[in-house]
Amino acid sequence: MAEEEDFSSLPLTDRWVHKVWKVRKQAYEEAAQIFEKTPDEYDPAFRPFTQDPSLWKSAAADSNVAAQQEGLAALCAFLKFGSSDGALRARQHAVTPIAEKCLSSTRAATKASALEALLLFIEVDVPGPVIEELLPVLSSKQPKVVAAALAALTQIYHNYGCKIADPKPVLKILPKVFSHADKNVRAEATNLAVEFYRWLRDAMKPMFWNDLKPTQQNDLESQFEKVKAEGAPKQERLLRSQQAEKERAPAGDGEDNYEEDGGEAEEPVEVDAFDLAEPQDVIGKVPKDFFDNLGSSKWKERKEALEALYGLVNVPRIKDGDFSEINRALAKCMKDANIAVVTQAAQCIELLAKGLRNGYSKYRSTVMQPIMERLKEKKQTVAEALGAALDAVFLSTDLTDCLEDITTFLVHKNPQVKEGTMKFLVRCLRTTKTVPSKQEIATMVESAKKLLSESSEGLRSGGAEILGTIMKIIGERAMNPHLEGLDDIRKTKVKEFYETAEVKAKDKPKPPPPAARAPPGGPKKAVGGGPKKGPPGMKKPTPAAAAPPPEPAPAAAPRPGPGSKLGMPKPGGLGGLKVPQKRTLSGPSPASPRRPPPAQSPPPAEEEEAPMSPPPAKPAPRMGLGRGGLAGRSLAKPAAPAIPAAPPSPTPASGLTAIERAELEELRDANERLLKALEDARHDRAKLMSEIQELKNQNAGLIEDHTRDVLSIKAKETQLVRARSDAEAAEQTNERLRRELDRLKRALSKAEALNAAGGSGSPGSPGSLGFRAMSPTHDEIYRDASNPTRNRMSMASTLSEEKENGDAIPHPRSKLSPELRYTGSNASSGRGSPARGFRREVSLEEKEPRNADIGYGGYSERAGSRTGSRTGGRETPSSTNTATSGMESWKRAAEVTSQLKARIEQMKAKQASRPQ
């Protein structure tokens, strides 16, 4: 007991670090009770722990679990009731011990207090530092510590959401914990990934999804399906800063508004891969030959260059740089004749716009018009790619920047372009988050009304859809004036689209009562007629009455109080318009000497002068146009009883003079005229731009037609040249065939003449029966001449050709003697003679007759040998030598004949293979 009394007498900080755990436990409990009883966060009880924040490290890492539990309870009380400065100092000492020692405790109360302490550390400031302290714990060697840290991270994101707590640092380490050997760690990693999916949806997948195993991906997908059926996530705990903002909000609807603003499901869903990803450098990776390949005449090379660029820009986020040249090249690709190139270029533009976001707005003017001009393409895949590119470009800008181009192409001559632009405008109205201005709404309404009178049903429905979507944004009441003049059928159609339209921007005009109710009180006080007209009267006496100023001086003394009231109506609506500054402008000469010293006091002083001194009332009608007299009379009566209250309030509401009002009206009219002229100029510019674009299109079409005509003319000329050459070749062939036919005729007549001469000679002559039998007939000659695939030459042509070329037929004298004839044949035919070979021509037309000529010589030899043998055997028995020589000649003729036949077959094969 004595020891306990001694312990209780020790200071709290000494007992806090005492070696006896019971003493420490009592110190923790006592501190928690003290913190709860403090009146405010500046109580001296917090000072020791604020000055020495390491005390919380020893409490969180206490070796005794019972004392540790009470230490965490004391820490929670300190964070709840203490100042934010003390919490920030304690955070760097307490978070790591809590994560390593307390979150994995076997005691449920300890784990709950540890988690509550982490959430309170976040509530006091921001989640970032706490998450940074927890991430190193995920590398711990103890699986239970890693699993507990993952569970704590899950609770942090569940309570504060991914908008308050940045998920990027944790998403990067998810693959590491998913590959952990302990199943409990993997289970907690799965819970954390599911919690991320509640807030981020599919936007988180590019950060880690590809690093997971297929089985893990399937398990997560099944868990994600359950999350999709749940409601939208909401922030369950608020930061201190959010709580203060909530308290400052209006009492009636502050809580509801805050929940709507901070806890909507739309805001977490809007987080996408762009917000989570790190920017990547793309310009440095573009191939050096990209622009050369993109300008190639082969469409495959152009498409391959765009595919390479597509692979580079297909990243969640792109580092900003100079993409001007690339965008100009892609815009030029919109005019490409090959739709595959156009589609690929549109996809590259879409990825560039998504990767750069707001940084792509400076390239909008470069690519938007070429894309919209290409909307004339009817193929669905191309139209979808172009529409996706336009949507991505719009997300990087806003409706104000794109509206001019949209209205220009809504009046395009091509209905396909009109329809594509109309659909693009509808998508813009659905996705925009800012309400269009009145001028923009009027422009869109006019364009939509023009579409209602189109002949195409799609365009008419599109116009009604535009009007219905605008009505959804600005409200039915604000849209009614724009629908005047439309028939009931069209109004019904617009109403149908209004009911089904889904938009993100809605015009929510704030109710004017809170802002307008305060000013009305001011103007009512200022409406008093006397004071309002006093100022003009005051200006008038000032030049003549220099003495009266000392008299109103005592009246100016009680007016400093109302002077404060004068400052209040100025911000009001009516009082602010009728400012006395303009009144000073109307009469600078008289008022300038008296106004500089006091800004507010002179007007009432002059008001009093009007009734006090009658002479100054005369000049009043000159400046005030008769109003000064009325002001003087009205002010004279109430001036004495209500000097302090009445004059000050009217001065801010003092009206302008008639001249100033007229000038103001003129300025307003001039402003309206300028605005109208500006609008007309914009319309004219839009029309001129459309006309210029049409002329450009016509010029491009004419150039294409001219190029096509030039190419067709060149092709026709080439065909004509080929036809002429073919005709000349055919004429040459006909001429050659005609010459051959003449030769054949002459050879035939020559052969017939020789046969006739041989029939009239002796029986042993060459023209006898033997020669007739060996010479070719008419049928054989004409058969050869009629068949184009066979050799057209014959024996008769050989005879005539030999005669023409100087190779005469064997002398007639040789016909009488076979020996002499044979010798003459060798000498004339020259099979072994170089002289005959030298006389031959190289051309094929001359070679064929020579071969036939040699064949004819063989036939004549055969005929001569036959007749010689027959006559020799018949005429005299003493002609044995002659018969023997005849037999030799016969054998020789047979050999020559066989050789000639082989040569003739070869020549026929060559003639058949030669192209005709």
Side-chain angles (χ1 to χ4, degrees), residues 106-225:
T106 55
R107 291 196 169 200
T110 303
K111 292 174 66 174
S113 298
L115 182 59
E116 179 65 19
L118 292 178
L119 295 177
L120 286 172
F121 274 123
I122 294 174
E123 179 181 324
V124 169
D125 188 25
V126 289
V130 176
I131 294 175
E132 290 178 2
E133 293 285 343
L134 291 176
L135 290 180
V137 181
L138 298 178
S139 302
S140 176
K141 296 181 180 180
Q142 300 180 11
K144 65 176 185 178
V145 175
V146 179
L150 289 173
L153 287 171
T154 303
Q155 289 300 318
I156 289 173
Y157 286 104
H158 181 79
N159 284 277
Y160 293 102
C162 289
K163 184 179 179 182
I164 303 299
D166 186 11
K168 286 191 287 186
V170 183
L171 285 172
K172 292 179 181 178
I173 57 94
L174 272 183
K176 179 181 176 181
V177 294
F178 266 106
S179 60
H180 201 279
D182 188 76
K183 64 178 183 179
N184 295 327
V185 174
R186 295 197 300 272
E188 292 296 338
T190 302
N191 295 336
L192 181 57
V194 172
E195 184 61 34
F196 279 137
Y197 190 81
R198 291 179 64 241
W199 297 92
L200 305 177
R201 300 298 177 181
D202 293 333
M204 72 174 188
K205 289 186 177 180
M207 298 291 291
F208 71 96
W209 193 255
N210 294 331
D211 298 330
L212 303 182
K213 297 178 181 179
T215 53
Q216 293 174 337
Q217 292 179 357
N218 295 334
D219 294 341
L220 286 176
E221 288 291 352
S222 61
Q223 296 290 332
F224 293 164
E225 291 298 327

Side-chain angles (χ1 to χ4, degrees), residues 597-609:
Q600 303 292 342
S601 56
E606 293 173 359
E607 292 170 8
E608 293 176 2
E609 288 179 12

Side-chain angles (χ1 to χ4, degrees), residues 446-467:
E446 290 300 323
S447 301
K449 286 182 178 179
K450 293 178 182 178
L451 293 176
L452 292 176
S453 59
E454 290 285 342
S455 58
S456 172
E457 172 61 24
L459 292 175
R460 293 197 300 272
S461 299
E465 187 173 3
I466 292 173
L467 293 175

Side-chain angles (χ1 to χ4, degrees), residues 406-721:
I406 292 174
T407 53
T408 301
F409 282 88
L410 278 177
V411 294
H412 198 275
K413 62 178 181 179
N414 192 319
Q416 201 75 17
V417 175
K418 279 186 184 178
E419 185 174 356
T421 308
M422 172 266 298
K423 293 179 179 178
F424 174 52
L425 177 57
V426 172
R427 295 195 300 270
C428 292
L429 292 172
R430 289 177 179 174
T431 56
T432 184
K433 297 179 182 178
T434 57
V435 179
S437 64
K438 293 184 178 180
Q439 293 182 354
E440 293 171 351
I441 290 174
T443 303
M444 290 186 288
V445 168
E446 290 300 323
S447 301
K449 286 182 178 179
K450 293 178 182 178
L451 293 176
L452 292 176
S453 59
E454 290 285 342
S455 58
S456 172
E457 172 61 24
L459 292 175
R460 293 197 300 272
S461 299
E465 187 173 3
I466 292 173
L467 293 175
T469 309
I470 295 174
M471 182 186 291
K472 192 75 172 183
I473 294 175
I474 66 176
E476 188 174 358
R477 180 179 178 182
M479 190 65 184
N480 287 333
H482 296 288
L483 299 181
E484 294 179 358
L486 296 181
D487 54 20
D488 295 339
I489 297 176
R490 292 175 177 173
K491 286 183 180 180
T492 305
K493 194 75 172 177
V494 171
K495 200 69 177 293
E496 292 176 359
F497 284 110
Y498 160 73
E499 294 173 354
T500 58
E502 297 180 0
V503 296
K504 295 182 179 180
K506 291 186 179 180
D507 192 8
K508 298 178 181 178
K510 295 181 180 179
R517 281 172 191 165
K524 285 179 183 176
K525 294 177 184 178
V527 169
K532 189 183 286 187
K533 298 173 185 176
M538 291 182 299
K539 286 186 180 180
K540 299 151 192 173
T542 48
E551 296 179 6
R559 287 174 194 170
S564 61
K565 295 180 182 178
L566 296 178
M568 296 192 57
K570 282 182 183 178
L574 300 173
L577 291 176
K578 303 173 183 178
V579 191
Q581 290 94 341
K582 289 193 174 181
R583 181 182 171 279
T584 58
L585 294 175
S586 63
S589 55
S592 56
R594 306 186 81 182
R595 286 289 172 92
Q600 303 292 342
S601 56
E606 293 173 359
E607 292 170 8
E608 293 176 2
E609 288 179 12
M612 293 292 292
S613 58
K618 297 177 181 177
R622 269 183 287 168
M623 296 291 291
L625 298 177
R627 294 170 59 189
L630 289 174
R633 293 170 198 159
S634 59
L635 284 173
K637 297 175 183 178
I643 291 175
S649 57
T651 42
S654 59
L656 301 173
T657 63
I659 299 174
E660 292 170 347
R661 285 178 182 152
E663 291 177 358
L664 181 61
E665 291 300 327
E666 289 178 1
L667 290 175
R668 287 176 179 172
D669 295 339
N671 188 22
E672 291 179 1
R673 287 195 299 272
L674 288 175
L675 291 176
K676 195 172 296 183
L678 179 61
E679 190 66 24
D680 295 340
R682 286 181 179 174
H683 285 300
D684 295 341
R685 182 178 180 276
K687 291 180 181 178
L688 292 175
M689 290 297 294
S690 62
E691 291 177 1
I692 291 172
Q693 194 65 30
E694 290 178 3
L695 292 175
K696 286 182 179 179
N697 296 337
Q698 293 176 4
N699 187 24
L702 292 175
I703 291 173
E704 291 178 1
D705 295 340
H706 176 68
T707 305
R708 196 180 301 108
D709 294 341
V710 170
L711 293 176
S712 62
I713 290 171
K714 289 183 178 180
K716 296 296 183 183
E717 289 178 352
T718 304
Q719 294 177 1
L720 182 60
V721 171

